[in-house]
Amino acid sequence: MERRKGETGDSDTKEFEENGEVAKETLERVAAAKKYIESHYKSHMKHIQDRRQRRALLEMKLNSSDVSEEERQNLLKELERTETEYMRIKRQKFCVDDFELLTIIGRGAFGEVRVCREKKSGNIYAMKKLKKSEMLSRGQVEHVKSERNLLAEVNSQFIVKLYYSFQDADYLYLILEYLPGGDMMNLLIKEETLTETVARFYIAQTVLAIESIHKHNYIHRDIKPDNLLLDKDGHMKLSDFGLCKPLDCTNLTTISENESLVSKSNSDSAKKSFWKSPREKLQHWQLNRRTLAFSTVGTPDYIAPEVLLKKGYSLECDWWSLGAIMYEMLVGYPPFYTDDPMSTCRKIVNWRSTLKFPDDARLTPEAKDLICKLLCSVEHRLGADQIKAHPWFKDTVWDKLYEMEAAFKPEVNGELDTQNFYQFDEEIEDTTPTRTGSGRFSKMKDLNFVGYTYKNFEAVKGLRRSGRSTSPDRQSTDSPLAYNSRINLVILCIGVA
């Protein structure tokens, strides 16, 4: 049937080209709509299945217990109330306008991280904002999706908590737990080196953090001091606040593990990278460290050789990074540092001849042994259980690390204090964000981020129930996402477990 004149107007997207073929923009809209509907349906069906499973689990436990009919009905009604609250929060839409934007604490090629306050509750968070067009042009779509999925899936005290994720036409947003103690990079810049006692505490907490993501089959691949954040008490959590462009390793295809470094000795890079003493090298590293952290080049100092050589890698690459960080904590600079990224990469892949300890570094034999068993070939590299059993950790009580007093307590004056982060100047924005749910799927960039929205019901309900008086660390025991634990707790309390 022909469309009557004036029914839709010329503002609509043309559905067909003059030759009768479907327009590219129309195909993109169809693909976006299809993906959106599939994602929505899948999410809806999963919620129904999970809801049924939670009720069946509670009924099964009640049937095998001695609770009265009245208690049984009360528990079932409590579950229904919790499910209703869950759906209410899930339907709530968020956008950047729901937050008061405060101090910037991180900036890079893809976006920025800043402290923010939720206007409705007054709660303080860290907002990570990523530009969609940059993600697409630099091939980082899967990386940012993996980060969001990891943070949403891994509920661990060793990982920075994710509260919300949402998007508008131009940006992706992650609303994260704000840790005011700063990052390990700033601590190392201030302290230069750490004692083995302090380093042992933070390396141990890093081990637990890495182990927690490995158990969910995630590889971080970017473990470095910049991504190890401290809370107000000095305890460490793993995040990915590094917004810099990943190192461009396209030129590394010519590098082999047997490549001689002598041939590079006459290059300008080699001349510049010669330091008269370890102290001079330390000073040079500290002078350039912050620039490297926020540049679009980044630093390869913590990257495992198998990642650089593109030979295939697995979980072991994160333990190499741990070894490089441990070396830096105790020596003052990374084990393969030069002032030229390509030279650093060459030293890493030739680690057998380039890994050395400075003469004035007073490391215990146990510390050197652990570093060498992390900075080694994949087949000989230690894993989590072996690291925990290493003599350097002989007095470490692994299950009490987050209950004991931290090795370093940062100075924090109030929930909005940012003194432990590098301060950035504000920049003028070119675009105005659009509210979430605007339905603008006409652009291909939106198609790539369908299903990005997320709400942490367990954390959000706990915060909203008591407003700002509730710490973000507190978790609701009424959450369907953690309902198994709640059921066990209820049954234990009424004496039927």
Side-chain angles (χ1 to χ4, degrees), residues 36 40 135 339 343 364 366 385 397 405 412 422 443 450 464 468 475:
Y36 175 79
H40 180 77
M135 295 283 108
D339 59 0
S343 297
T364 62
E366 292 80 9
D385 292 337
V397 184
E405 184 178 349
V412 178
Y422 182 76
K443 296 181 180 179
V450 169
R464 294 197 179 283
R468 295 183 64 187
Q475 297 183 356

Side-chain angles (χ1 to χ4, degrees), residues 476-496:
S476 167
T477 57
D478 293 330
S479 167
L481 304 181
Y483 193 69
N484 290 357
S485 299
R486 193 189 73 81
I487 291 172
N488 292 334
L489 178 61
V490 169
I491 293 177
L492 283 171
C493 289
I494 61 179
V496 296

Side-chain angles (χ1 to χ4, degrees), residues 363-428:
L363 278 65
T364 62
E366 292 80 9
K368 286 186 178 180
D369 182 73
L370 178 56
I371 290 173
C372 291
K373 288 179 177 176
L374 293 172
L375 301 179
C376 62
S377 59
V378 173
E379 57 270 21
H380 295 114
R381 201 173 302 160
L382 300 185
D385 292 337
Q386 296 168 309
I387 294 171
K388 290 180 179 179
H390 191 275
W392 195 61
F393 288 114
K394 66 178 180 179
D395 296 322
T396 301
V397 184
W398 291 93
D399 59 351
K400 300 291 184 183
L401 274 176
Y402 280 79
E403 297 174 16
M404 62 187 293
E405 184 178 349
F408 168 81
K409 187 169 177 68
E411 182 180 347
V412 178
N413 301 317
E415 60 183 356
L416 290 175
D417 190 2
T418 59
Q419 65 174 303
N420 295 303
F421 290 94
Y422 182 76
Q423 302 299 305
F424 294 83
D425 295 328
E426 291 286 342
E427 290 183 349
I428 299 175

Side-chain angles (χ1 to χ4, degrees), residues 122-140:
N123 293 310
I124 304 301
Y125 300 103
M127 174 187 284
K128 184 171 183 177
K129 174 183 173 183
L130 302 169
K131 194 171 182 64
K132 287 182 179 180
S133 58
E134 292 294 331
M135 295 283 108
L136 288 166
S137 64
R138 298 172 189 261
Q140 291 298 298

Side-chain angles (χ1 to χ4, degrees), residues 121-382:
S121 68
N123 293 310
I124 304 301
Y125 300 103
M127 174 187 284
K128 184 171 183 177
K129 174 183 173 183
L130 302 169
K131 194 171 182 64
K132 287 182 179 180
S133 58
E134 292 294 331
M135 295 283 108
L136 288 166
S137 64
R138 298 172 189 261
Q140 291 298 298
V141 173
E142 291 306 316
H143 173 82
V144 75
K145 283 183 179 179
S146 294
E147 179 187 15
R148 178 267 189 205
N149 293 341
L150 186 154
L151 291 171
E153 181 179 336
V154 181
N155 183 19
S156 169
Q157 64 180 325
F158 319 127
I159 306 296
V160 171
K161 189 185 301 300
L162 172 66
Y163 290 96
Y164 317 108
S165 62
F166 55 89
Q167 60 181 298
D168 57 35
D170 300 301
Y171 294 97
L172 302 173
Y173 301 89
L174 293 168
I175 304 301
L176 301 153
E177 174 183 12
Y178 174 51
L179 301 179
D183 57 38
M184 187 57 61
M185 178 189 73
N186 276 324
L187 179 60
L188 290 174
I189 288 175
K190 291 177 183 176
E191 302 294 324
E192 293 189 357
T193 60
L194 305 179
T195 66
E196 288 200 20
T197 300
V198 175
R200 183 182 294 110
F201 179 83
Y202 286 116
I203 291 296
Q205 291 200 329
T206 309
V207 169
L208 295 180
I210 295 173
E211 184 182 34
S212 70
I213 64 173
H214 285 182
K215 285 180 178 178
H216 287 76
N217 297 315
Y218 283 101
I219 308 172
H220 195 287
R221 296 185 306 171
D222 196 25
I223 305 290
K224 56 186 178 183
D226 318 46
N227 294 333
L228 304 178
L229 306 180
L230 304 179
D231 66 16
K232 61 183 177 58
D233 297 315
H235 288 280
M236 196 215 73
K237 297 191 180 189
L238 178 62
S239 183
D240 185 9
F241 275 32
L243 299 176
C244 307
K245 175 186 174 184
L247 182 74
D248 182 2
C249 299
T250 53
N251 294 324
L252 288 174
T253 53
T254 58
I255 295 180
S256 70
E257 294 180 75
N258 299 318
E259 179 181 350
S260 173
L261 297 178
V262 177
S263 61
K264 308 294 179 182
S265 61
N266 293 324
S267 66
D268 292 336
S269 169
K271 289 179 181 179
K272 289 193 298 179
S273 297
F274 177 78
W275 294 284
K276 295 179 180 178
S277 68
R279 180 66 187 173
E280 186 177 313
K281 188 174 185 179
L282 171 62
Q283 292 172 342
H284 191 276
W285 166 249
Q286 291 194 314
L287 182 66
N288 289 277
R289 183 63 177 93
R290 205 181 299 277
T291 302
L292 286 171
F294 302 124
S295 72
T296 58
V297 177
T299 170
D301 287 276
Y302 312 98
I303 300 177
E306 63 267 25
V307 177
L308 295 175
L309 290 168
K310 302 179 183 179
K311 290 185 174 181
Y313 55 87
S314 187
L315 305 174
E316 295 84 7
C317 69
D318 287 339
W319 299 123
W320 172 284
S321 302
L322 181 76
I325 292 171
M326 180 176 169
Y327 183 105
E328 181 182 355
M329 285 180 174
L330 299 176
V331 175
Y333 47 82
F336 307 102
Y337 173 60
T338 71
D339 59 0
D340 171 59
M342 288 301 298
S343 297
T344 298
C345 292
R346 290 189 176 91
K347 291 184 72 173
I348 290 172
V349 299
N350 289 278
W351 59 268
R352 289 178 176 85
S353 59
T354 57
L355 176 59
K356 302 183 188 318
F357 294 91
D359 295 335
D360 61 349
R362 298 177 181 177
L363 278 65
T364 62
E366 292 80 9
K368 286 186 178 180
D369 182 73
L370 178 56
I371 290 173
C372 291
K373 288 179 177 176
L374 293 172
L375 301 179
C376 62
S377 59
V378 173
E379 57 270 21
H380 295 114
R381 201 173 302 160
L382 300 185

Side-chain angles (χ1 to χ4, degrees), residues 451-463:
Y452 190 79
T453 301
Y454 167 80
K455 297 182 189 71
N456 186 330
F457 176 82
E458 183 175 0
V460 173
K461 188 173 187 295
L463 285 171

